[in-house]
């Protein structure tokens, strides 16, 4: 039996700002966009891993008002679990992210004691991302 990751969901408060960040800054490709009941889901993938989908969705999509409010508050505080990305050129990726409106630099590229060289940022929605040198 083989098990693998197929989809990762990323909650965002502004789908347009998230799309600009993940598509234009990180270079992900849009596979699909779905609008339903006033919300949008945007499905992206990395060209190097087309089998793994990243779905951008809003906190209130498909949830009760109370649950959506709770998740939106956690998103606003930056308290959701981090996403980890890998790049073949950390410095160039970091510079592009640092120049992106709405992105926040938390840690410039540095060699970590555990052997990785990485940087930490927040996307325009406040999601915590670590970007590691491949």
């Amino acid at each position: 039996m083989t098990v693998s990751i197929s989809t990762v969901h990323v909650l965002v408060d502004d789908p347009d700002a998230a799309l600009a960040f993940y598509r234009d800054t990180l270079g992900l490709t849009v596979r699909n966009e779905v609008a339903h009941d006033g919300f949008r889901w945007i499905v992206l993938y990395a060209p190097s891993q087309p089998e793994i989908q990243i779905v951008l969705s809003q906190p209130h999509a498909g949830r009760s008002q109370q649950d959506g409010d709770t998740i939106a508050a956690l998103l606003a505080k930056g308290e959701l679990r981090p996403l980890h990305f890998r790049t073949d050129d950390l410095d160039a990726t970091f510079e592009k992210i640092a120049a992106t409106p709405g992105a926040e630099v938390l840690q410039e590229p540095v060699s970590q004691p555990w052997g990785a060289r990485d940087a930490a940022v927040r996307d325009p929605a406040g999601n915590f991302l670590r970007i590691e040198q491949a």
Side-chain angles (χ1 to χ4, degrees), residues 51-85:
E51 70 280 6
I52 299 175
Q53 300 182 121
I54 297 174
V55 179
L56 306 177
S57 63
Q58 295 161 280
H60 289 90
R63 295 180 181 84
S64 69
Q65 185 67 41
Q66 182 179 3
D67 288 349
D69 290 348
T70 299
I71 292 170
L74 290 170
L75 177 62
K77 288 173 53 176
E79 291 297 324
L80 300 178
R81 301 307 308 163
L83 288 148
H84 293 253
F85 286 93

Side-chain angles (χ1 to χ4, degrees), residues 19 29-34 41-45 53-54:
L19 178 59
T29 301
V30 175
R31 175 168 284 148
N32 193 17
E33 288 191 50
V34 178
W41 290 265
I42 303 167
V43 182
L44 304 122
Y45 66 92
Q53 300 182 121
I54 297 174

Side-chain angles (χ1 to χ4, degrees), residues 5-28:
I5 293 175
S6 66
T7 305
V8 175
H9 286 261
V10 178
L11 294 167
V12 299
D13 54 355
D14 181 343
D16 292 320
L19 178 59
F21 180 80
Y22 287 94
R23 181 193 59 205
D24 303 338
T25 300
L26 294 185
L28 301 182

